[in-house]
Amino acid sequence: MLVLIANLGSTSFKYRLFRMEGEAGEVLASGGVERVADAASAIGGALDDLAAGKAIPGLDAIDAVGFKTVLGKGLTGCVEADERVIEALEGFSDVAPAHNPPYAAGIRRFAGLLPGAKRVALFETAFYQWVKPSASNYALPRSWRDAGVRRHGFHGASHKYVAERSAELLGRDDVARVARRLYSDGPRPVAGAPLRVISCHLGGSSSVTGILNGVAVGTSMGFSPQSGLPQNNRVGDLDSAAVPYAMRALGIGLDEAQRQLAGESGLLGLSEVSNDIRDIAAAAAAGHDGARLAIDHLVHSIRHWIGAFLVDLGGVDALVFTAGIGENNVALREAVCAGLEGFGIRIDPQKNAQCRAVEADIAAADSPARVFVIPANEELVLAREVRRMLSN
Ligand code: ADP
């Protein structure tokens, strides 16, 4: 079965083409375009390039296209990407303005370009379907909650891959199986001891998720992808009273406040240097106070959420780092793990220093908990779900 995974941003379209044989996925081709004015209208050209390559006989050979949709109003899970999905995306366009409009446009475009291929959407919120109401609700009046204001959670495919892969690395095939089949079977009891994982997806946007027996118990991300940890240029958690206060104090309107919170805040806002942690780290090393503050704030926030899940899970068997920063940033991993020996987390500084963008256990040999670096593999999670949906 040939499954094309479509990754749509406001100015980019990237794809990865998988041949799926059971759970195993072989990447046959990947490509795309970046820095285009309109991602959806660039899809046709990118597919022409794919067809011109030798990976597949023709575009007709593609059985399905998978979309890693972010947030749908009143809709989650892994579903056929039809008009209902487009409506759900458009219903929350203002909540995820960088993500939802390109996906709605992209799904429509693929319907025209590859009419014979099945279209499947896997929402990034799907991993959090089983989070307890005590953790998924905000303390709001009924009318707000009825309007859909709640903690959704994001990076679902990435944290789900961590749930699967960390269980495999720990020799817990029972939990790995539950995690892999979660979206079709729901949570299942496991035979062995409870498996407690804290997953840190640290990249352009970041979140920390607590996982028990392959199922998320909660996450740092809330209603929108602008919550939780400081993001590259989005604010992260902020007291709701701060917005109306700052609008009055600074004399700005709601649109301008939203623009600043979604584009000039986060690591960029605090550092006043860059939205990229590499630039910020270089500035911090050269003595820039704002850059130092941004890194320290990110580390503080990550540790805050690790602490929350240490208590929620009653301890941890594996702490996992994934995504651009988590896979590559040695100093940040060290800072996050500093002083956590009392919680069973001790890294080996040398193993940590040697690990960049490869799968590794960077815990000290005598550390009770494992500390894994697991390269992100969201596309494989999605390709497996697409295959499962088509096979059913
Ligand atoms: P996205 O969330 O946009 O998919 P990534 O997961 O690639 O992005 O994370 C992007 C961030 O990861 C960048 O802001 C950068 O700070 C960091 N990063 C990516 N690659 C490296 C690297 N080789 N070394 C250090 N940091 C990196």
Side-chain angles (χ1 to χ4, degrees):
M1 183 182 296
L2 294 184
V3 179
L4 185 84
I5 301 303
N7 187 337
L8 283 143
S10 346
T11 61
S12 67
F13 163 64
K14 287 179 255 172
Y15 67 83
R16 206 175 281 183
L17 180 69
F18 286 88
R19 187 201 311 281
M20 298 304 296
E21 305 281 356
E23 296 285 315
E26 182 196 352
V27 178
L28 297 183
S30 58
V33 287
E34 283 186 274
R35 298 183 194 191
V36 290
D38 173 13
S41 50
I43 293 171
L47 291 184
D48 288 344
D49 292 347
L50 171 62
K54 294 199 169 57
I56 48 172
L59 294 177
D60 289 352
I62 297 172
D63 296 292
V65 186
F67 301 91
K68 197 162 60 75
T69 46
V70 173
L71 173 65
K73 188 167 187 180
L75 190 61
T76 190
C78 184
V79 294
E80 189 178 343
D82 52 13
E83 271 305 314
R84 192 172 59 124
V85 164
I86 292 174
E87 263 173 45
L89 291 170
E90 289 176 343
F92 267 157
S93 275
D94 49 348
V95 183
H99 304 100
N100 278 10
Y103 270 103
I107 291 170
R108 283 211 172 95
R109 188 90 182 107
F110 266 100
L113 289 168
L114 296 182
K118 200 99 180 151
R119 289 175 299 283
V120 178
L122 174 62
F123 283 97
E124 287 286 64
T125 51
F127 195 43
Y128 306 99
Q129 293 172 77
W130 301 279
V131 170
K132 287 181 299 189
S134 54
S136 64
N137 272 279
Y138 291 113
L140 287 166
R142 159 98 34 215
S143 55
W144 287 56
R145 289 180 279 137
D146 287 348
V149 183
R150 49 167 303 203
R151 300 188 78 92
H152 291 111
F154 300 96
H155 298 135
S158 175
H159 290 299
K160 183 172 184 286
Y161 181 72
V162 165
E164 298 171 10
R165 189 66 196 135
S166 59
E168 286 169 2
L169 291 171
L170 290 163
R172 290 294 302 270
D173 291 343
D174 55 337
V175 176
R177 190 180 151 75
V178 170
R180 270 201 302 273
R181 303 190 56 87
L182 186 61
Y183 295 157
S184 47
D185 296 359
R188 286 278 181 272
V190 300
L195 187 68
R196 304 155 305 178
V197 174
I198 300 176
S199 172
C200 306
H201 175 108
L202 309 174
S205 71
S206 303
S207 63
V208 178
T209 291
I211 303 167
L212 180 63
N213 295 333
V215 186
V217 298
T219 183
S220 58
M221 283 270 204
F223 176 60
S224 78
Q226 190 162 302
S227 52
L229 308 179
Q231 314 297 342
N232 57 359
N233 60 359
R234 303 193 298 269
V235 61
D237 278 346
L238 177 72
D239 186 327
S240 59
V243 181
Y245 167 77
M247 285 169 61
R248 283 191 295 269
L250 305 179
I252 57 174
L254 183 59
D255 287 350
E256 177 58 14
Q258 281 182 313
R259 193 191 65 76
Q260 293 185 14
L261 291 171
E264 295 181 354
S265 301
L267 299 177
L268 173 65
L270 262 190
S271 69
E272 299 179 281
V273 168
S274 166
N275 62 8
D276 191 303
I277 200 99
R278 287 167 286 199
D279 304 332
I280 300 172
H288 190 288
D289 289 341
R292 187 70 263 157
L293 175 63
I295 293 173
D296 290 349
H297 176 68
L298 175 61
V299 169
H300 174 82
S301 304
I302 296 166
R303 286 164 62 92
H304 172 96
W305 282 101
I306 290 175
F309 293 121
L310 275 170
V311 172
D312 225 10
L313 297 168
V316 67
D317 300 297
L319 175 68
V320 181
F321 291 95
T322 189
I325 298 173
E327 291 164 27
N328 291 292
N329 198 312
V330 171
L332 186 121
R333 291 194 300 246
E334 188 172 327
V336 166
C337 295
L340 299 186
E341 294 81 4
F343 300 98
I345 299 166
R346 181 182 297 120
I347 59 169
D348 178 322
Q350 246 171 341
K351 287 184 190 161
N352 182 38
Q354 283 160 6
C355 175
R356 282 166 203 268
V358 289
E359 188 173 275
D361 178 1
I362 59 167
D366 63 351
S367 174
R370 298 296 90 210
V371 181
F372 294 132
V373 174
I374 298 180
N377 205 346
E378 297 148 288
E379 289 81 5
L380 179 62
V381 167
L382 178 45
R384 283 175 174 166
E385 293 306 322
V386 172
R387 185 200 66 88
R388 216 186 310 278
M389 229 178 110
L390 262 68
S391 309
N392 288 337

